[in-house]
């Protein structure tokens, strides 16, 4: 029986959002971009993006990726360039848009898509590139300047920032000012968890206008479908939970940062870095979804997952196997993936939740080295 689970999702409790529910009873609107959803979007745009650009909620981040990719992709393009070191939703979303994933290796320190490999692929594939889909690895504030440049040059970019809402650098929410599209997840396991849902942001309001219309059956001001669409609307109930979560998000982020600090202290106290363990090179403030480390070169994550499991501690290995090693994607082209394959064999994602106690973290780290 597991004593220390991998995650303990902590969606805001009922008493925190119950007052918002009266708006649903009064309006009798339960979806269809109702008043709570509009209030939720307005607050997010103002409080987290300084009123720059536009946002639209979606029923989940995978749907958000599909809508954004479908709206931005170059119509004659074939390939969606992305890291293999990402969640399977990323290549699946591209495939739903009629594209072929093309996997790019990652940087050995930041674990994000390697810019040199990406640039080489862009030059080699030329007009066959339909879109580029970077992954903001584990919610990191990846540098968007390069992606802004290629987007402005006509190669559309959609950022998969599923765990990235609440991440910031020098006080600026990750993704602000980006003129492509950025997709965030509000799944219960994410730092900003409301149960299920997501958000698409862009500094280009026209992109969001089109994504929103596509998420409403392709309606553009009339009841006539004018573009490829589906139903991606966020129910008012989840918007109510989202509003209450915004009321307390600073507390939730602070709690997660304390857990990260505790993990880092334990790594230092037990000299894991000097023993060959490695953490992700990150930038800014990240309210992590979980805490990931690499075991030493020549060792493998399966050994440590079994070791922790024997002590009733649940750990996982995001992302192993990497996408290009999975049955659904194994047939697709890719660059040299030496770094991806090495990291996917060593990655170890450790238990993490808000309010996690120091003693629990200490037990996990001691088990790794015992």
């Amino acid at each position: 029986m597991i004593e220390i689970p991998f995650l303990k999702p902590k969606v805001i409790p009922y008493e925190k959002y119950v007052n918002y529910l009266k708006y649903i009873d009064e309006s009798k609107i339960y979806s269809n971009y109702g008043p709570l959803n509009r209030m939720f979007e307005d607050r997010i745009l103002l409080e987290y993006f300084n009123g720059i650009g536009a946002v639209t909620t979606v029923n989940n981040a995978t749907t958000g990726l599909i809508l954004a990719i479908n709206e931005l992709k170059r119509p004659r393009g074939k390939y969606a360039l992305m890291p293999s070191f990402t969640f399977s939703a990323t290549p699946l979303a591209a495939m739903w848009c009629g594209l072929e994933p093309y996997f790019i290796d990652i940087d050995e320190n930041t674990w994000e898509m390697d810019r040199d490999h990406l640039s080489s692929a862009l030059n080699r594939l030329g007009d066959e590139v339909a879109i580029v889909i970077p992954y903001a690895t584990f919610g990191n504030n990846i540098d968007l300047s390069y992606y802004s440049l290629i987007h402005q040059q006509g190669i559309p970019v959609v950022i998969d920032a599923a765990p990235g809402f609440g991440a910031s650098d020098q006080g600026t929410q990750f993704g602000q000012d980006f003129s492509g599209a950025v997709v965030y997840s509000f799944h219960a396991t994410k730092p900003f968890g409301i149960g299920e849902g997501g958000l698409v942001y862009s500094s280009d309001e026209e992109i969001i206008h089109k994504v929103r219309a596509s998420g409403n059956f392709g309606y553009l001001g009339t009841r006539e479908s004018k573009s490829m669409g589906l139903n991606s609307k966020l129910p008012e109930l989840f918007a109510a939970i989202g509003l209450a979560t915004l009321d307390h998000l600073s507390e939730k982020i602070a709690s997660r940062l304390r857990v990260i600090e505790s993990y880092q202290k334990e790594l230092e106290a037990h000299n894991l870095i000097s023993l060959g363990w490695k953490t992700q090179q990150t930038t800014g403030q990240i309210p992590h979804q979980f805490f990931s480390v690499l075991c030493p070169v020549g060792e493998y994550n399966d050994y440590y997952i079994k070791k922790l499991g024997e002590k009733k501690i649940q750990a996982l290995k995001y992302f192993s196997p990497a996408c290009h090693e999975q049955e659904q994607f194994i047939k697709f082209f890719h660059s040299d993936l030496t770094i991806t394959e090495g990291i996917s064999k060593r990655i170890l994602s450790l238990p993490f939740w808000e309010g996690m106690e120091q003693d629990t973290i200490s037990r996990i780290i001691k088990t790794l080295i015992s």
Side-chain angles (χ1 to χ4, degrees):
M1 182 178 181
I2 295 294
E3 293 179 358
I4 301 178
F6 179 56
L7 295 176
K8 289 184 181 179
K10 193 175 183 181
V11 174
I12 208 80
Y14 170 77
E15 60 267 20
K16 300 291 186 181
Y17 64 84
V18 62
N19 288 336
Y20 287 107
L21 298 183
K22 66 181 181 181
Y23 292 96
I24 301 176
D25 291 336
E26 291 170 358
S27 70
K28 305 300 180 186
I29 298 174
Y30 304 94
S31 186
N32 293 354
Y33 305 122
L36 284 183
N37 185 77
R38 291 195 298 272
M39 190 187 309
F40 184 37
E41 291 176 341
D42 288 347
R43 281 191 59 185
I44 287 175
L45 185 63
L46 179 63
E47 297 174 18
Y48 287 86
F49 296 100
N50 292 319
I52 299 169
V55 300
T56 186
T57 53
V58 286
N59 56 4
N60 62 67
T62 305
T63 302
L65 283 171
I66 291 171
L67 292 171
I69 293 167
N70 201 54
E71 285 300 325
L72 271 69
K73 67 180 182 180
R74 296 199 288 188
R76 296 182 181 178
K78 177 180 180 180
Y79 297 114
L81 276 55
M82 67 186 71
S84 178
F85 193 72
T86 186
F87 188 52
S88 54
T90 316
L92 285 171
M95 292 170 68
W96 276 108
C97 295
L99 303 176
E100 292 185 18
Y102 191 105
F103 298 116
I104 306 294
D105 208 3
I106 56 174
D107 180 86
E108 62 180 341
N109 297 311
T110 63
W111 308 345
E112 66 179 271
M113 192 153 51
D114 184 278
R115 308 289 171 81
D116 291 336
H117 282 269
L118 175 58
S119 179
S120 176
L122 289 172
N123 290 331
R124 183 171 62 255
L125 299 173
D127 291 340
E128 289 189 296
V129 176
I131 201 161
V132 174
I133 313 173
Y135 171 55
T137 312
F138 302 145
N140 191 17
N141 292 283
I142 64 173
D143 183 1
L144 295 182
S145 58
Y146 174 78
Y147 298 114
S148 293
L149 178 62
I150 64 173
H151 182 79
Q152 291 164 7
Q153 292 174 341
I155 301 172
V157 179
V158 172
I159 308 293
D160 181 349
F165 191 83
S168 62
D169 190 13
Q170 298 182 346
T172 300
Q173 162 64 40
F174 173 74
Q176 181 182 306
D177 297 317
F178 186 67
S179 59
V182 188
V183 181
Y184 308 90
S185 173
F186 294 161
H187 188 271
T189 59
K190 298 297 188 289
F192 190 93
I194 66 174
E196 185 59 280
L199 186 83
V200 184
Y201 166 82
S202 178
S203 65
D204 185 338
E205 296 183 26
E206 184 62 23
I207 288 176
I208 299 303
H209 176 69
K210 291 179 178 178
V211 168
R212 192 180 188 88
S214 295
N216 188 28
F217 307 102
Y219 294 162
L220 287 166
T222 68
R223 297 290 288 181
E224 176 186 358
S225 184
K226 296 184 178 181
S227 64
M228 179 64 74
L230 47 77
N231 181 5
S232 71
K233 297 186 291 293
L234 186 75
E236 287 285 270
L237 173 60
F238 287 109
I241 299 171
L243 285 163
T245 304
L246 286 175
D247 294 339
H248 298 276
L249 184 56
S250 60
E251 303 162 29
K252 292 171 70 66
I253 290 177
S255 177
R256 287 175 173 270
L257 293 176
R258 284 193 292 270
V259 175
I260 290 297
E261 184 179 350
S262 294
Y263 261 118
Q264 291 170 338
K265 286 180 179 178
E266 287 296 323
L267 292 178
E268 293 173 6
H270 297 284
N271 299 313
L272 262 71
I273 303 303
S274 64
L275 292 173
W277 292 78
K278 186 177 181 180
T279 58
Q280 181 187 14
Q281 180 180 307
T282 59
T283 302
Q285 176 179 281
I286 306 169
H288 290 254
Q289 179 182 2
F290 42 73
F291 187 73
S292 293
V293 295
L294 298 182
C295 62
V297 175
E299 299 182 7
Y300 301 99
N301 47 23
D302 285 336
Y303 167 78
Y304 288 98
I305 287 174
K306 181 180 179 182
K307 186 177 184 180
L308 290 166
E310 289 171 349
K311 297 297 183 180
K312 303 181 179 180
I313 301 170
Q314 183 184 31
L316 298 179
K317 45 182 183 178
Y318 284 84
F319 301 100
S320 179
C323 287
H324 75 284
E325 299 170 315
Q326 298 174 28
E327 180 180 350
Q328 183 63 27
F329 315 117
I330 201 167
K331 63 183 178 181
F332 294 118
F333 293 115
H334 55 78
S335 72
D336 176 82
L337 296 172
T338 301
I339 303 300
T340 297
E341 291 175 355
I343 286 179
S344 68
K345 290 181 176 67
R346 296 167 56 206
I347 193 80
L348 193 65
S349 301
L350 301 176
F352 191 100
W353 60 83
E354 292 168 29
M356 196 173 183
E357 296 180 350
Q358 183 73 45
D359 288 348
T360 302
I361 296 170
S362 180
R363 175 180 166 187
I364 294 167
I365 298 302
K366 286 178 181 178
T367 302
L368 285 179
I369 60 175
S370 62

